[in-house]
């Protein structure tokens, strides 16, 4: 992205918050290789909320693991605010789908949220304030002393979100975080994410296979092809900033956008290779 520099009247580059360039990941498996991600390139500007939607097995989790520095890519680069990611960066937080496994059952809600801050050696008074604010922002300030197993699935996922938020990350990555909760809870959690996003101004990359969720939540939707994965489309979601489950989902524009993404996903399922073959055959017939 460029903006004009009025003092010297020449364009200056603004560094994206997150930049993924030519990312490829090939897994070594017994007897061969699996190319999960082929060539992914996209940027997130500071403060954007972008949804990434793709069919199951299209490499979404693989991509997030590479972005968060938990796993090394085969080729390509990931940059966070202009610095190359080579291991888990302090200013990034991840919320996974399997909240059940990501919370420690022997620690209270407060203990779970506080843990990464303790590891970072944040002073006690500051830690307490950050945990209090995070629990309040996810609506769990009434159960700090409960244990995760005493809470519903939706509440457990709120604890995982609070833990990520307390950390005050610059970038929040979420991997299908609501796939395992019921529809009503899911709707509430979607609204919670938009509220937190607005409150904190954090940059969010939200991965989902749910088309409606991607359109409802995102300011932009990146559609992935099936594996080996490339970016199939990068779509701006021009819905009003104030969204609510009943009215936004009933808007004609919402329907248009979800139908468009649905058609893209259907096309994505054919995969880039199939498309290439079809194009080659068409060209040969001419
Ligand atoms: P998604 O999250 O979109 O469902 P994944 O990133 O989990 O997709 O998987 C993408 C592809 O990579 C799949 O074909 C999957 O089987 C393969 N894959 C994922 N993890 C591994 C692994 N650790 N070793 C080998 N293959 C893997
Ligand atoms: Mg996945």
């Amino acid at each position: 992205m460029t903006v004009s520099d009025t003092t010297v009247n020449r364009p200056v580059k603004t560094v994206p918050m997150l930049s993924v360039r030519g990312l490829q990941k090939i897994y070594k498996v017994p007897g061969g290789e699996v190319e999960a991600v082929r060539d992914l390139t996209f940027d997130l500007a500071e403060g954007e909320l972008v949804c990434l939607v793709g069919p199951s097995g299209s490499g979404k989790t693989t991509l997030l693991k590479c972005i968060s520095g938990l796993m090394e890519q085969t080729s390509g680069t990931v940059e966070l605010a202009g610095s190359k990611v080579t291991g888990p960066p302090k200013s990034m937080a991840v919320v996974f789908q399997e909240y059940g496994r990501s919370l420690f059952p022997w620690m209270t809600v407060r203990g779970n949220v506080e843990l990464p801050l303790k590891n970072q050696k944040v002073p006690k008074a500051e830690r307490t304030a950050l945990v209090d604010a995070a629990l309040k922002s996810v609506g769990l300030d009434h159960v700090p002393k409960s244990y995760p197993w005493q809470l519903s699935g939706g509440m457990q996922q709120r604890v995982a979100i609070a833990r990520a938020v307390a950390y005050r990350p610059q970038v929040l990555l979420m991997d299908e975080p609501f796939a395992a909760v019921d529809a009503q809870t899911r709707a509430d959690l979607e609204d919670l994410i938009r509220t937190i996003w607005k409150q904190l101004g954090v940059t969010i990359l939200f991965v989902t296979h749910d088309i409606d969720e991607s359109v409802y939540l995102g300011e932009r939707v990146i559609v992935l092809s099936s594996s080996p994965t490339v970016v199939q489309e990068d779509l701006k979601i021009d819905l009003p900033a104030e969204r609510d489950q009943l009215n936004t989902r009933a808007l004609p524009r919402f329907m248009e956008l979800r139908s468009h993404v649905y058609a893209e996903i259907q096309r994505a399922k054919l995969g880039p290779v199939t498309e290439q073959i079809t194009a080659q055959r068409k060209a040969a017939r001419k």
Side-chain angles (χ1 to χ4, degrees):
M1 196 196 300
T2 57
V3 291
S4 70
D5 179 338
T6 48
T7 50
V8 285
N9 201 21
R10 64 181 151 81
V12 275
K13 288 229 173 225
T14 52
V15 178
M17 179 52 80
L18 186 68
S19 177
V20 177
R21 290 272 160 278
L23 194 102
Q24 183 194 36
K25 177 67 190 180
I26 299 172
Y27 288 107
K28 299 252 182 289
V29 292
E33 294 179 333
V34 176
E35 188 184 24
V37 173
R38 171 158 293 176
D39 182 4
L40 285 180
T41 296
F42 59 88
D43 288 338
L44 263 65
E46 184 175 3
E48 267 198 300
L49 198 181
V50 177
C51 290
L52 205 124
V53 64
S56 190
S58 63
K60 302 183 295 295
T61 299
T62 300
L63 169 69
L64 282 200
K65 283 182 181 164
C66 292
I67 292 178
S68 57
L70 293 169
M71 187 168 72
E72 205 180 333
Q73 60 269 26
T74 307
S75 61
T77 54
V78 177
E79 286 187 1
L80 176 66
S83 302
K84 225 171 234 168
V85 172
T86 51
K90 279 187 188 164
S91 51
M92 228 188 241
V94 193
V95 175
F96 294 103
Q97 177 180 347
E98 292 161 327
Y99 47 80
R101 282 206 270 161
S102 81
L103 300 175
F104 293 115
W106 61 88
M107 282 186 182
T108 61
V109 165
R110 170 169 280 281
N112 269 284
V113 176
E114 199 175 14
L115 187 65
L117 300 170
K118 266 190 179 164
N119 289 345
Q120 287 294 314
K121 308 222 178 343
V122 176
K124 174 92 179 124
E126 195 183 337
R127 238 163 46 208
T128 305
L130 285 170
V131 174
D132 284 346
L135 287 177
K136 193 156 190 283
S137 70
V138 300
L140 284 184
D141 43 340
H142 59 299
V143 288
K145 290 186 179 145
S146 298
Y147 289 89
W149 42 270
Q150 294 176 312
L151 307 175
S152 68
M155 286 166 95
Q156 288 178 35
Q157 194 55 306
R158 280 173 197 264
V159 178
I161 295 167
R163 184 173 58 187
V165 165
Y167 204 66
R168 294 283 153 108
Q170 283 182 295
V171 173
L172 179 57
L173 305 173
M174 307 188 92
D175 190 5
E176 307 210 31
F178 311 145
V181 296
D182 61 87
Q184 180 57 52
T185 306
R186 186 175 190 142
D188 293 344
L189 288 170
E190 285 166 1
D191 290 336
L192 174 69
I193 292 303
R194 281 194 64 88
T195 305
I196 286 175
W197 170 64
K198 282 187 204 153
Q199 275 173 2
L200 301 182
V202 61
T203 308
I204 301 181
L205 183 60
F206 187 101
V207 164
T208 179
H209 66 259
D210 185 312
I211 295 163
D212 288 45
E213 182 167 82
S214 72
V215 173
Y216 180 73
L217 268 184
E219 300 292 295
R220 234 173 93 201
V221 171
I222 298 174
V223 182
L224 299 184
S225 74
S226 55
S227 190
T229 309
V230 296
V231 171
Q232 172 122 350
E233 193 178 20
D234 194 331
L235 183 71
K236 184 172 162 41
I237 302 298
D238 50 2
L239 292 170
E242 288 303 323
R243 298 184 191 175
D244 76 82
Q245 295 286 349
L246 271 184
N247 296 311
T248 308
R249 287 176 189 267
L251 290 175
R253 186 64 185 147
F254 181 87
M255 314 266 189
E256 270 171 33
L257 287 163
R258 66 152 331 262
S259 303
H260 180 86
V261 175
Y262 182 80
E264 281 299 309
I265 296 271
Q266 291 304 109
R267 203 159 73 81
K269 281 186 187 158
L270 297 173
V273 177
T274 319
E275 265 179 40
Q276 280 164 23
I277 294 168
T278 314
Q280 277 164 10
R281 283 188 187 150
K282 267 189 193 160
R285 267 187 251 124
K286 275 184 190 160

